[in-house]
Amino acid sequence: MTAEPLEIERALTLGLNHVVGRYRYNLATQAWWWSDETFQIHGFEPGEVVVTTALILAHKHPDDRARVSRVLANAAVTGKPFSSVHRIMDARGRERTLTVVGQGSRDPETRQVGALVGYFVDVTAAVKAHANEVANESIRASAATRASIEQAKGVIAFVLNIDAEEAFERLRSISNDTNVAVRDVAQQIVELARSGGSTADVVAALTPSRPRPPVG
């Protein structure tokens, strides 16, 4: 086995506690060798199946299969270090996200690429954690937006002495007139009120000037 390619370090920076498995693919015999961890990543017990290229590609996610096949084919020709992030459906039907990294191993005499060697890294947990964080940020952003709108409604209702429903309609009207998103209009009104703007200032903000119609 050759030294670890630099791409493995990049894969490992995605998080901790990843399962890392080794592999070797002999191009002449088309025989694969997997470490116990690689079997585990694919949902098999060590040695449970005979590993073939067809088996490996069959477990790739349909949307990623052709791309992974091209990456391997190119690596077999060039022998250059490569990496790919793709999804698989393991033997238990679970979708997992893997990073595969590797490089060609050349025959010392012919200098021809004789094998591909490298690592499979299961980054499923890191991908899920990232997706959850993105979702949480979206929820927090949505909550912050809603809070600004509710505060703006309160300011409008107080200044114009109208109810909350009318206040929201006024907010939407300003948004339409100015072509500015409701959340941004609401934030401007809230910031104006917080900065100590007078009632007149707030009313002015609620009544954007309209272009005068052409004369004649």
Side-chain angles (χ1 to χ4, degrees):
M1 182 69 62
T2 59
E4 294 184 7
L6 294 177
E7 285 83 353
I8 191 67
E9 296 181 12
R10 300 191 185 99
L12 292 176
T13 60
L14 292 175
L16 301 175
N17 301 321
H18 295 311
V19 178
V20 180
R22 295 177 296 160
Y23 69 85
R24 181 181 182 89
Y25 174 46
N26 187 304
L27 297 176
T29 64
Q30 298 190 3
W32 286 84
W33 172 84
W34 277 3
S35 69
D36 291 351
E37 293 81 5
T38 302
F39 277 101
Q40 177 186 342
I41 288 171
H42 287 81
F44 295 107
E45 293 296 323
E48 181 179 348
V49 294
V50 176
V51 183
T52 64
T53 301
L55 174 74
I56 291 173
L57 291 178
H59 280 279
K60 303 303 180 188
H61 191 284
D63 293 341
D64 297 343
R65 188 175 297 140
R67 177 170 55 84
V68 174
S69 183
R70 288 194 299 270
V71 168
L72 293 177
N74 184 66
V77 173
T78 67
K80 293 181 179 179
F82 63 90
S83 63
S84 172
V85 178
H86 59 270
R87 296 160 294 172
I88 67 167
M89 301 301 296
D90 73 11
R92 301 180 185 179
R94 299 171 301 186
E95 181 178 309
R96 311 196 69 78
T97 302
L98 309 183
T99 292
V100 58
V101 295
Q103 61 189 20
S105 174
R106 295 183 180 276
D107 184 286
E109 295 182 359
T110 67
R111 302 306 301 164
Q112 296 297 311
V113 180
L116 299 180
V117 295
Y119 299 82
F120 283 106
V121 185
D122 186 348
V123 295
T124 305
V127 170
K128 287 183 177 179
H130 177 69
N132 289 338
E133 180 59 27
V134 169
N136 288 338
E137 288 181 2
S138 177
I139 291 171
R140 287 194 292 268
S142 177
T145 296
R146 192 65 209 172
S148 293
I149 292 175
E150 291 300 323
Q151 290 178 57
K153 282 168 55 179
V155 171
I156 296 170
F158 175 77
V159 170
L160 300 183
N161 193 27
I162 57 180
D163 62 28
E165 184 175 344
E166 291 177 300
F168 182 67
E169 288 304 316
R170 190 60 176 268
L171 192 60
R172 287 206 306 177
S173 177
I174 298 170
S175 173
N176 291 333
D177 289 342
T178 59
N179 197 30
V180 176
V182 170
R183 65 177 181 275
D184 294 330
V185 174
Q187 186 63 36
Q188 292 171 12
I189 292 172
V190 170
E191 289 177 356
L192 179 60
R194 285 176 177 171
S195 65
S198 66
T199 300
D201 292 333
V202 176
V203 171
L206 298 175
T207 53
S209 59
R210 298 172 181 268
R212 294 182 179 181
V215 178

